[in-house]
Every structure is written in C-alpha cells, then in structure tokens.
Amino acid sequence: METPGCENLQLVSFHSTSKGLIGECGRRGGYMELHNIDPYVQTQLYKLASSGLCSGVAGQVMTSLMVTPPAPTDESYDLFQKEESDIFESLKRRANSLVKGLNDIDGMTCTPAEGAMYAFPKVELPAKAFDEASAHDQTPDTLYALTLLEETGICVVPASGFGQKEGRVGFRTTFLPPEDELNSAIVEFKRHHEMFCEKYA
C-alpha cells in the first residue's frame, strides 16, 4: 500500500550486507530496488548491472539471509532478535563513544554519526603541517592520516578524497571495531594528535 501522496514517487534504494545493521564487512552482497521507475529505464539498469561481476556465493547467501530473517514461528527467532538488538545497541554505544572521544581531543570536532558506520571529524592543524604536506605534494589530511598509520597502526581515509569544503582538514574513520579495541583507538587518536601538533607547532 502506497503512502498517501507518494503514489508517483520514483525511488531507487540500495542495501548491502557490509554496510547494514549486520555489518558483515568483506561479505560483498546486496541489492538495488526500483520503485515506480519507467520499465525501459529498469531494463537498461538491469542490463548494466548484469554486465558487471556479481557477488560470490558467500555474498549471495549473506544477502539472502539479510532479506529473509527468521519468522516469529521459527525456532531461531528469539535468538536472532536478541543478537540483532545486541548488535544495534553496541553500534550505538560505539558511535557515541567514538564521537565523544574525538570531540574530547583539543583541535578536533565531530558531528554525531547518523545513518552510516563512519565518523568524519574536522581536524585543526598547525601551519607548519600544511607546509610539510605541500613540500611532499600531499594534502594536509593525507600527511595526517599517514603519520597516524605509522605511529599507531590506525588506518583512516583522508577527507580530501570526499570533496570536502575548501580549507577543511579531516578524515573518515569507522566505529565497527569491537568496543574494547575502539576505546584503545580513541586513546591513540588523542596521543597521535598531540604528538603531531607538537611536531609541527
């Protein structure tokens, strides 16, 4: 049944096993749903999608499990509901913990993570860090990300790769690691940032 007022709404949606609630990173599988899309356009999209590689068997099985969870009458239903709830609550805790931890670092600001498994903090860097990055033909956030990796083993993605606002420096990181590892990483983020800023002060 259509939502009133949306009878003619055209909608394309995507979902995947690695980016959804179950967060099975590395399990490549998912689907695209087309709603109220012109049949000719659907045919062309189907041809385009069919010409590419499809998920392996494991990804297809994961997708099938994702879209057909246990029914209330199934023996595994209660366990599934508990595990799904536990995962969701843990993701909320980890998201809040990471964002709070990053915001507690002088020179970092991070908005709450809503709808994705990533945090995207803004980082204030000393002027000499910009000079150092320029001398190595790098963006400042690439320099920052590389030193973070070298110093702590934490791998983040420089925000410059996402078309951010001119002059903004930052990175993208995830809150998917287990809670104990994430809490250790927050300590390392702080240690690295202080060391980096002191080095380029």
Side-chain angles (χ1 to χ4, degrees):
M1 181 173 182
E2 294 285 345
T3 302
C6 295
E7 294 83 6
N8 297 314
L9 177 70
Q10 294 181 322
L11 180 67
V12 178
S13 61
F14 301 86
H15 194 32
S16 76
T17 57
S18 63
K19 302 293 187 228
L21 177 61
I22 58 175
E24 290 289 340
C25 295
R27 300 288 185 188
R28 298 297 182 222
Y31 65 87
M32 174 175 67
E33 179 181 9
L34 306 173
H35 183 74
N36 278 340
I37 302 297
D38 180 88
Y40 176 76
V41 173
Q42 286 189 43
T43 302
Q44 298 308 309
L45 286 171
Y46 185 76
K47 279 196 265 185
L48 180 65
S50 298
S51 68
L53 297 174
C54 69
S55 298
V57 173
Q60 292 180 43
V61 169
M62 290 297 299
T63 301
S64 177
L65 292 170
M66 178 180 70
V67 300
T68 54
T73 55
D74 292 342
E75 186 177 325
S76 60
Y77 180 78
D78 290 337
L79 178 59
F80 175 81
Q81 291 296 312
K82 180 188 180 316
E83 288 179 352
E84 188 176 61
S85 175
D86 289 350
I87 290 169
F88 185 66
E89 292 304 317
S90 176
L91 286 171
K92 287 198 303 191
R93 283 192 305 273
R94 286 181 272 171
N96 292 335
S97 179
L98 178 61
V99 169
K100 181 185 181 312
L102 293 172
N103 280 325
D104 286 347
I105 299 170
D106 284 339
M108 279 198 199
T109 54
C110 188
T111 58
E114 298 176 344
M117 310 264 180
Y118 303 106
F120 214 107
K122 177 181 176 185
V123 183
E124 294 174 19
L125 300 179
K128 287 183 182 175
F130 286 80
D131 296 339
E132 179 72 10
S134 181
H136 290 90
D137 198 27
Q138 296 175 325
T139 60
D141 48 12
T142 297
L143 172 67
Y144 189 88
L146 288 173
T147 62
L148 179 66
L149 179 62
E150 291 165 0
E151 180 68 26
T152 67
I154 297 172
C155 183
V156 299
V157 181
S160 56
F162 296 95
Q164 65 184 347
K165 183 178 176 182
E166 184 70 31
R168 185 187 189 276
V169 176
F171 58 86
R172 184 186 79 174
T173 189
T174 184
F175 52 82
L176 287 176
E179 290 181 65
D180 58 332
E181 292 178 25
L182 186 63
N183 291 333
S184 298
I186 292 167
V187 172
E188 289 297 287
F189 276 123
K190 180 176 173 49
R191 183 178 69 81
H192 169 265
H193 187 70
E194 290 171 349
M195 178 210 72
F196 186 92
C197 290
E198 184 177 327
K199 179 177 181 179
Y200 293 107

